[in-house]
Amino acid sequence: MNSPHKLHSKLPVLVALYTWVLLLVAVGRDKLLSCLFDNWEVTITMVFGSIIAGGTAEGGGAVSFPVFTKLLHIPPYDAKVFALLIQSIGMSAASLLIFIGGIPVERRVLLWASSGGVIGITCGVFAFSPLLVPNITKMTFTVLQAGFAVVLIVMNRRVRTRNNSLPICGLKERMILFLSGALGGVLSGLVGTGLDIVVFSVMVLLFRMNEKVATPTSVVLMATNAIVGAFIYQFILQGVTDSVRGYWIASVPVVVVGAPLGALICSILSREAIVKMLLVLILIEVVTSLMLIPLNLAIICYSLSGLMLFLLVFYWMYQNKTYQREGWIY
């Protein structure tokens, strides 16, 4: 009988083989090869995007959305829908590895934040997406990450212990998780990702949770949110274009390997390595947004105002000592 460790190691291969066979049967060899050859840039993008999605609090959409819209000149709508579709596969595969492999997650965060996320992504798709300018939406996500990165750097300058689970789970904590999930869900409905980084920031800054627990928890959260978003676009709005379907077919074979691999790497890395990797990804996100998004006075003023707001919120969470255990070293 296989030990849990051996099953943990073999699972990415088993999931990949099973998915490849299903995809081949569903679309046929000729269609699969055609999509791979026609969309090879998308496939390469998602090799990196899937590893990041499975191993960090950055969803795969944080990689695919800017690359698709600015480098590959894919319409923002298609990039957003693709991000949700592909994360519903890749991050679900990573979540399977997380649960079967026994990687620690905070299940109470999953329950309350994912409940808010369902409402949030529904509102994001139906209410906010038709109203907001794409560049404004993208910069909102960028400055949110930038603000979080600044406070995370400050937080990690001092030695301290961290909670491996939610320290308190009363009505207030459940509402905080529900509302942060709703906000992250709205962002997911606008740009194809966001729930993971929003809830991750609350877990780490406010609830003082260990990044090694917060990261896989955020991966599972984004998987559930992406499934909801994919369902909305596929079956309710019927908004999955032939182009997006081709990108999806070309990416599934790599994301079912990359996302579980990312989750496996995350489980092995130290907490400090995870923090450094996340900060590097946020830096790349900020730099590419500044380089690729046309900046006018309105966007600059909006971004600076948003950055100050997020910094204040994140700093308040950092300064709040409610969930700090007695005897912590600062």
Side-chain angles (χ1 to χ4, degrees), residues 92 115 253:
S92 293
S115 299

Side-chain angles (χ1 to χ4, degrees), residues 89-103:
I89 299 295
M91 299 186 86
S92 293
S95 299
L96 185 62
L97 173 69
I98 287 168
F99 283 122
I100 294 181
I103 298 174

Side-chain angles (χ1 to χ4, degrees), residues 265-322:
I265 292 171
C266 176
S267 70
I268 297 171
L269 292 176
S270 67
R271 187 201 65 80
E272 292 80 7
I274 293 173
V275 170
K276 290 176 182 178
M277 185 166 58
L278 182 60
L279 290 173
V280 169
L281 292 172
I282 292 175
L283 177 62
I284 294 173
E285 160 72 19
V286 172
V287 171
T288 54
S289 292
L290 292 176
M291 291 175 58
L292 300 176
I293 294 177
L295 299 177
N296 54 41
L297 182 60
I299 290 181
I300 292 173
C301 291
Y302 172 83
S303 300
L304 291 175
S305 300
L307 179 60
M308 291 304 299
L309 175 62
F310 287 129
L311 279 173
L312 288 173
V313 173
F314 289 142
Y315 188 71
W316 171 82
M317 288 194 288
Y318 167 65
Q319 288 291 91
N320 191 307
K321 308 300 183 186
T322 304

